[in-house]
Amino acid sequence: MSTTPPPRSVTAGARPAQGERAAEDGAFGWLHALGPRGRHAFAGAFGGYALDSYDYFTLPLSMVALAAYFGLDSGQTGLFTTVTLVVSAIGGAVAGVIADRVGRVRALMITVITYAVFTVACGFAPNYETLLVFRALQGLGFGGEWAVGAILVAEYASAKHRGRTLGAVQSSWAVGWALAAIVYTLVFSFAGDDLAWRIMFWTGALPALLVVWLRRRVHDAPEAITAREQSPRRGSFTAIFRPGTNGEPGLLRTTVFAGLLSTGVQGGYYTLATWVPTYLKTERGLSVVGTGGYLTFLISGAFLGYLTGGYLTDRLGRRRNIWLFALLSAVCILAYTNIPHGANTLLLVLGFPLGFCMSAIFSGFGSYLSELYPTAVRGTGQGFTYNTGRAVGAVFPTLVGFLADSWGVGGALVFGAIGYGLAALALLGLPETRGKELA
């Protein structure tokens, strides 16, 4: 096991005073432990991922209007999500290599610019085919942002607080989701559906403002720069698929099982994220405002789930946290989609635990994947496994789309539970990494 101290800040080597140690043990000790540069990195990653989420949800929230405007069936609308997530695997893998070769912050700026430009372009699409292409290109930036931002922060965070710190970064997904739901409610209340969906995509220009701040204020962890530059294998796909030998452990097993884990969790998550708004509006008959109200409970649960999951991944360990919430998420999906018609109050209440569980499972991902790979190929390994999971998991929303016409959206959503079962099985091939120093 490496004895190299975790890269935290330019003063990481200094011994903390008693008052500083006390501060690091408080409720926000994880934030204090990052140091000034680490907190800037946290803010950049938090903002980038929140706006990544916002740009992603412009599509699911506009799905009903898009289907009516272009005359699409459920299979065609489900293909939007599948194409986005499949191309995101390419974007995530490429962004990971870029992060290992030229730095985390530069890669982060590239991903933010990419998803912002193509989200805006979606608003100008004249037909279904063009919109499908623009949405695919948006996936290039969407796929890379989380992996790069998570690594940037992980390399500043201490081993003690890494789960909570990355869980807090993950919680920004709920912030972006909430912002998208608010804008959706306002835009679709005051503009006709034929224009409103275009306005939703045009607001995706917001992330471009973040790039200016990132360029001036955020820097890679110094120790991570040194470790990365000294390795001849940095940013190498060959390295993450290298099998073990008698003298040196390989990363092939880790890459295979981490990819399966990511596939299961994201297959379940994106099934729900893509189809719940449509389910509420078409099968439950909710209005735009009504759908926004139900999503408020779902998103509130998601935000608290990210924070709670981050805390539990440090207390229980990475694997136990994922196992726990994989089981609970599957149970919540089955309960949510089998609520009888007319019991919309119960539907409202169950939205909170559904959002909580399906988000808490993600909180350990940033720390877990970062700890599974060495610094020189951390971006490559994390970018590839996380986004391969997105691409393969994208089959789930498409299956729901094609089955919705015969099974109904609610009945088809049970495929999300299958994804969580796959995630639980994948953990059998991965080690526990809680408390591991990054090397």
Side-chain angles (χ1 to χ4, degrees), residues 184 280-281 284-292:
Y184 157 79
L280 293 174
K281 194 167 185 179
R284 292 292 176 167
L286 299 181
S287 65
V288 169
V289 175
T291 299

Side-chain angles (χ1 to χ4, degrees), residues 61-427:
L61 290 169
S62 304
M63 196 86 86
V64 173
L66 281 171
Y69 186 86
F70 291 118
L72 308 177
D73 59 32
S74 297
Q76 289 174 305
T77 53
L79 191 58
F80 278 125
T81 297
T82 298
V83 167
T84 302
L85 299 182
V86 168
V87 176
S88 77
I90 300 172
V94 171
V97 172
I98 293 173
D100 284 336
R101 294 187 177 181
V102 305
R104 313 322 192 192
V105 175
R106 288 181 182 176
L108 186 62
M109 289 191 291
I110 291 171
T111 62
V112 171
I113 290 172
T114 301
Y115 73 65
V117 167
F118 288 108
T119 297
V120 173
C122 287
F124 294 99
N127 52 51
Y128 170 72
E129 292 77 15
T130 303
L131 181 58
L132 196 62
V133 171
F134 284 154
R135 188 64 180 180
L137 293 173
Q138 187 263 1
L140 290 174
F142 170 73
E145 197 286 333
W146 178 84
V148 175
I151 295 165
L152 173 67
V153 176
E155 291 174 341
Y156 275 105
S158 66
K160 177 181 178 180
H161 296 298
R162 193 172 295 121
R164 272 163 282 191
T165 305
L166 272 297
V169 172
Q170 196 84 46
S171 73
S172 65
W173 181 265
V175 174
W177 189 3
L179 179 61
I182 292 170
V183 173
Y184 157 79
T185 302
L186 293 173
V187 170
F188 276 82
S189 294
F190 292 101
D193 284 6
D194 289 352
L195 177 62
W197 70 264
R198 294 187 183 275
I199 295 174
M200 283 293 294
F201 284 120
W202 292 336
T203 61
L206 289 172
L209 300 175
L210 176 67
V211 174
V212 177
W213 188 83
L214 286 172
R215 183 180 177 87
R216 294 179 178 178
R217 302 295 299 275
V218 183
H219 307 278
D220 288 9
E223 292 86 350
I225 294 174
T226 301
R228 189 170 64 245
E229 291 180 346
Q230 289 177 347
S231 174
R233 293 182 181 175
R234 67 180 184 273
S236 168
F237 281 117
T238 303
I240 67 171
F241 286 103
R242 190 183 301 277
T245 63
N246 292 333
E248 182 181 359
L251 293 171
L252 176 61
R253 178 187 175 91
T254 295
T255 299
V256 170
F257 281 99
L260 288 174
L261 172 66
S262 183
T263 296
V265 171
Q266 297 195 82
Y269 180 86
Y270 283 110
T271 295
L272 294 170
T274 301
W275 287 105
V276 164
T278 299
Y279 171 68
L280 293 174
K281 194 167 185 179
T282 59
E283 295 198 10
R284 292 292 176 167
L286 299 181
S287 65
V288 169
V289 175
T291 299
Y294 278 69
L295 288 177
T296 298
F297 271 74
L298 189 68
I299 296 168
S300 297
F303 180 74
L304 292 178
Y306 286 129
L307 297 179
T308 303
Y311 173 78
L312 289 177
T313 199
D314 280 335
R315 291 296 300 269
L316 301 178
R318 312 323 188 201
R319 298 169 80 230
R320 287 182 181 178
N321 183 71
I322 294 173
W323 260 324
L324 172 64
F325 287 107
L327 173 62
L328 293 178
S329 295
V331 170
C332 284
I333 290 175
L334 296 176
Y336 194 75
T337 56
N338 284 284
I339 295 173
H341 284 276
N344 284 350
T345 300
L346 183 58
L347 188 74
L348 178 70
V349 172
L350 278 183
F352 186 90
L354 177 65
F356 183 94
C357 294
M358 74 183 203
S359 299
I361 195 172
F362 271 106
S363 294
F365 261 54
S367 53
Y368 196 28
L369 294 181
S370 292
E371 291 159 355
L372 288 172
Y373 290 95
T375 300
V377 293
R378 185 167 294 126
T380 305
Q382 187 158 336
F384 177 83
T385 55
Y386 189 80
N387 288 287
T388 295
R390 270 180 173 167
V392 181
V395 173
F396 287 73
T398 301
L399 286 173
V400 172
F402 282 109
L403 292 172
D405 291 334
S406 56
W407 291 20
V409 176
L413 281 174
V414 298
F415 272 90
I418 297 174
Y420 290 117
L422 176 63
L425 290 175
L427 287 170

